[in-house]
């Protein structure tokens, strides 16, 4: 792992005191010491943790720093518990020798940092977890387990200290953080940026993971400043890239995969394949709603009697809005995707993208998708959007008791959807 990743991990309580230009150094291990010259116990690449007990006065600082530099350590982290503050002479000596220096908050134990580094650099642990992920994948392939993507994301967080999120192509959060999770929620602008970077990288045809650095806006519980993410595709089995790029999910991991061993890279690809199984199962469930919309659309296009169309809509209502108790009004949304290559059928892509638009990328989870039925007509997608109806009494008051839901005076609750609002929510990622 890189030093930069340690600084970006807010739970470690590190603050950079010198060596900002050296944060791309690779950490291969960790050692805690208060020896005046620990060089004989160092092999290079370590993050050295010290409580500063070796320092009697400023004259001890230069020899200690020289010993670390001669041993080619990656960096030094000094605890603030003993002296309450890091001595200026140590900061200056590390700056002269270009040795990255971190201050460790007194509330953070060295054991916490040690455990985090060991988990990150341990290829054996990644191999063990990969076996667990593979067993879980086989179980999910035979049927839903009820856990969803959150189960495997919890494995990553608990066993490897890797925070990860599953996002849609427009940045909608599908899994990761939420109520009861220790993983902070990614701000909307960060999710949109990650989705856009992923789409741009996939379009080049390069194999993932794709690395990107995103500047976080200030928010409680989230890392501040630039954070490195590694992006893995979830799905992508279509013969043509355009068949899947606007419907596949992505796995965003808060870490720099550039220095990972092969075992860890393969582990995350295995996690992606596991989440793809969940995605396929949800696609199968969505097929029922698609079929409902297609039946209504076929009736309309065939010129069927309005009574037949109304009957089919009444069948669709309880599927899309269970527990409503009344017939909704219906808004129709039509979408088309224009490809430069006219040889490629755009209908399936338009359908997948319209479903994503209707789910609202600014929201969370999969529940919103269950309220819409989207059909395909040639190169266009057609969605049936149910809108609740509020009865209106003779004086124009809404929600009156005893009024018929299908009364001519009934009003549609809410204003429905607006095309410009739907497009604005995805403009950033899709333009990228």
């Amino acid at each position: 792992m890189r030093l930069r990743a340690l600084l970006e991990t807010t739970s470690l309580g590190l603050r950079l005191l010198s060596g900002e230009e050296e944060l791309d150094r690779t950490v291969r291990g960790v050692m805690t010491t208060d020896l005046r010259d620990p060089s004989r116990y160092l092999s290079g690449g370590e993050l050295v943790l010290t409580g500063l007990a070796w320092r009697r006065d400023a004259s001890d600082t230069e020899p200690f720093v020289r010993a670390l530099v001669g041993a080619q350590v990656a960096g030094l982290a000094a605890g603030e518990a003993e002296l309450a503050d890091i001595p200026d002479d140590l900061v200056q000596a590390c700056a002269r020798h270009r040795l990255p220096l971190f201050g460790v908050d007194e509330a953070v134990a060295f054991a916490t940092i040690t455990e985090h580094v060991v988990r990150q650099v341990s290829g054996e642990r990644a191999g063990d977890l990969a076996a667990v992920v593979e067993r879980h994948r086989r179980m999910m392939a035979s049927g839903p387990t009820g856990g969803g993507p959150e189960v495997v994301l919890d494995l990553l967080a608990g066993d490897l200290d890797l925070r990860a999120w599953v996002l849609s192509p427009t940045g909608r959060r599908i899994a990761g953080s939420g109520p009861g999770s220790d993983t902070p929620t990614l701000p909307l602008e960060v999710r949109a940026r990650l989705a856009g970077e992923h789409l741009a990288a996939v379009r080049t045809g390069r194999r993932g993971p794709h690395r990107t650095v995103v500047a976080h806006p200030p928010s409680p519980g989230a890392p501040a400043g630039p954070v490195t993410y590694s992006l893995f595709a979830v799905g992508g089995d279509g013969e043509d890239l355009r068949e899947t790029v606007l419907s596949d999910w992505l796995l965003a991991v808060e870490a720099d995969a550039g220095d990972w061993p092969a075992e860890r890279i393969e582990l995350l690809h295995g996690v992606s394949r596991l989440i793809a199984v969940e995605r396929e199962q949800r696609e199968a469930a969505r097929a029922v709603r698609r079929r409902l919309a297609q039946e209504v659309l076929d009736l309309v296009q065939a010129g069927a009697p309005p009574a037949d169309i109304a009957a089919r809509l009444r069948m669709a209502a309880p599927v899309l809005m269970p527990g409503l108790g009344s017939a909704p009004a219906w808004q129709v949304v039509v979408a088309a995707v224009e490809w430069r290559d006219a040889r490629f059928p755009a209908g399936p892509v338009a359908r997948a993208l319209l479903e994503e638009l209707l789910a609202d990328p600014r929201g969370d989870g999969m529940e919103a998708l269950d309220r819409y039925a989207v059909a395909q007509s040639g190169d266009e997608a057609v969605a049936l959007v149910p809108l609740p109806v509020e009865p209106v009494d003779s004086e124009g008051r809404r929600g009156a008791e005893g009024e018929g839901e299908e009364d001519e005076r009934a009003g549609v609750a809410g204003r429905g959807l607006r095309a410009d609002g739907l497009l604005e929510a995805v403009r950033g990622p899709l333009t990228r």
Side-chain angles (χ1 to χ4, degrees):
M1 66 180 303
R2 296 177 187 266
L3 285 174
R4 188 181 307 278
L6 288 172
L7 189 62
E8 294 171 352
T9 306
T10 55
S11 61
L12 299 183
L14 298 177
R15 59 189 182 93
L16 184 65
L17 301 177
S18 71
E20 183 175 2
E21 68 282 357
E22 303 292 332
L23 289 179
D24 285 329
R25 290 188 181 188
T26 300
V27 180
R28 297 185 176 86
V30 63
M31 176 187 180
T32 300
T33 184
D34 276 311
L35 295 173
R36 298 176 68 184
D37 181 4
S39 57
R40 62 184 179 274
Y41 300 108
L42 298 168
S43 57
E46 294 92 349
L47 173 69
V48 175
L49 307 176
T50 181
L52 300 176
W54 51 266
R55 183 185 181 278
R56 295 167 299 184
D57 54 46
S59 64
D60 294 328
T61 298
E62 182 70 17
F64 180 78
V65 173
R66 284 183 178 273
L68 298 185
V69 172
Q72 298 182 327
V73 303
L76 173 65
E80 299 175 344
E82 187 71 23
L83 301 179
D85 203 0
I86 307 301
D88 289 340
D89 53 88
L90 180 59
V91 177
Q92 295 167 6
C94 288
R96 282 195 304 272
H97 292 281
R98 302 177 66 86
L99 177 65
L101 173 65
F102 302 91
V104 183
D105 189 281
E106 61 180 345
V108 178
F110 281 176
T112 300
I113 300 174
T114 299
E115 183 180 5
H116 178 82
V117 173
V118 169
R119 284 180 171 183
Q120 294 295 318
V121 302
S122 172
E124 292 181 3
R125 186 61 186 136
D128 294 342
L129 187 56
V132 175
V133 169
E134 176 59 21
R135 288 196 298 271
H136 195 65
R137 184 195 67 79
R138 289 197 295 267
M139 287 190 297
M140 287 190 68
S142 62
T145 62
E150 288 83 359
V151 172
V152 70
L153 296 187
D154 287 345
L155 285 174
L156 291 179
D159 286 57
L160 295 180
D161 283 342
L162 288 178
R163 301 196 299 190
W165 298 262
V166 180
L167 305 177
S168 77
T170 62
R172 180 169 50 86
R173 188 195 68 83
I174 294 169
S177 59
S181 170
D182 293 331
T183 306
T185 299
L186 285 179
L188 173 61
E189 51 266 46
V190 173
R191 288 188 273 123
R193 173 72 183 276
L194 292 175
E197 293 296 329
H198 178 71
L199 287 174
V202 169
R203 189 172 181 271
T204 66
R206 292 184 290 111
R207 188 176 188 269
H210 307 293
R211 296 166 53 241
T212 185
V213 179
V214 177
H216 272 243
S219 61
V227 179
T228 303
Y229 291 90
S230 298
L231 309 177
F232 295 78
V234 176
D237 295 328
E239 294 182 0
D240 191 300
L241 173 65
R242 291 165 299 183
E243 187 177 341
T244 59
V245 70
L246 295 182
S247 59
D248 283 345
W249 296 346
L250 67 131
L251 175 66
V253 182
E254 187 184 302
D256 186 347
D259 298 317
W260 283 0
E263 294 90 348
R264 181 161 294 194
I265 293 288
E266 183 53 37
L267 166 65
L268 268 295
H269 282 305
V271 169
S272 299
R273 291 190 291 269
L274 175 58
I275 297 172
V277 174
E278 172 73 12
R279 176 181 171 274
E280 291 167 2
Q281 291 174 352
R282 296 190 181 190
E283 279 287 302
R286 196 178 307 169
V288 175
R289 296 185 292 278
R290 287 174 173 172
R291 187 167 63 250
L292 286 172
Q294 194 67 52
E295 291 173 353
V296 173
L297 181 61
D298 291 344
L299 288 173
V300 172
Q301 291 179 329
D308 293 349
I309 300 173
R312 193 56 55 95
L313 286 173
R314 282 193 293 271
M315 293 175 58
V319 176
L320 299 177
M321 298 189 72
L324 181 62
S326 61
W330 295 92
Q331 182 178 14
V332 178
V333 181
V334 183
V337 175
E338 297 179 4
W339 292 116
R340 289 190 179 93
D341 186 351
R343 296 171 299 174
F344 185 75
V349 182
R351 183 178 62 188
L353 182 56
L354 181 54
E355 288 172 336
E356 179 64 27
L357 285 165
L358 294 173
D360 191 351
R362 294 163 293 194
D364 287 342
M366 294 293 294
E367 293 75 15
L369 286 175
D370 296 338
R371 294 189 55 228
Y372 307 113
V374 183
Q376 178 187 337
S377 178
D379 285 344
E380 293 182 334
V382 181
L384 299 177
V385 180
L387 301 175
V389 173
E390 290 183 330
V392 179
D393 66 13
S394 58
E395 296 180 2
R397 294 176 301 185
R398 293 192 174 187
E401 293 289 340
E403 295 288 344
E405 291 84 351
E406 299 181 12
D407 192 285
E408 292 182 357
R409 297 184 303 273
V412 176
R415 295 179 298 175
L417 303 173
R418 293 181 57 86
D420 53 357
L422 293 177
L423 292 172
E424 184 59 34
V426 300
R427 194 176 307 279
L430 296 189
T431 300
R432 182 75 179 91

